[in-house]
Amino acid sequence: AVTKLIVDFESVAWVLFWLFMTDLVTGLFASYFEWRKSGPEERWFFGKGEGFSSNKFKKMFVKAIVYMGLPYLIIQFQQILMLKNFKYERISEAEFEYATIVLIVFCLNEGFSIFHENLPKCGFNLWSQIKRMIGFYKKVKSEIE
């Protein structure tokens, strides 16, 4: 008997939830570090000090609504039109619901936000660390040869 492999929507949704929360926390830290670098006249990060932006915080709620609402609409759309799951055999034998694909794109967006936007503002640049490790590897390899 051939069993269908279907990527679990709920698991991907949990990954997105934790990435979203991590993005929120790293975004707050990034705002704090940028606020500190600017040499604020006000002492407070929250309030008049303008370190914490309520506009950015409001945008997080809009993003959360889109992250929850769009996959739900796509699931309904897929059921109404009786669309089959997506399968691309060059990548995997597993099938993907279209809503799961949207969640994966959202996860990639959150990962980009965390590693490319927020963490460098906090003083940790993943890409430069990777380049430094590759350079170290190349140096060690050339010394060994």
Side-chain angles (χ1 to χ4, degrees), residues 59-115:
K59 289 179 183 178
M60 291 293 287
F61 285 110
V62 172
K63 188 166 46 167
I65 291 168
V66 169
Y67 281 2
M68 290 185 293
L70 186 61
Y72 174 75
L73 289 174
I74 291 173
I75 288 170
Q76 296 303 314
F77 185 73
Q78 187 172 353
Q79 289 175 352
I80 290 169
L81 296 178
M82 295 180 250
L83 298 174
K84 293 181 178 180
N85 290 338
F86 180 77
K87 185 175 182 181
Y88 188 64
E89 292 183 6
R90 294 180 103 180
I91 295 175
S92 172
E93 293 293 320
E95 294 181 6
F96 296 84
E97 292 177 335
Y98 291 101
T100 306
I101 295 170
V102 170
L103 287 183
I104 291 169
V105 170
F106 289 160
C107 286
L108 292 172
N109 180 53
E110 288 299 304
F112 179 81
S113 177
I114 293 165
F115 292 105

Side-chain angles (χ1 to χ4, degrees), residues 26-38:
T26 58
L28 283 171
F29 278 119
S31 293
Y32 176 76
F33 281 105
E34 284 198 330
W35 175 76
R36 290 297 278 177
K37 285 179 187 174
S38 69

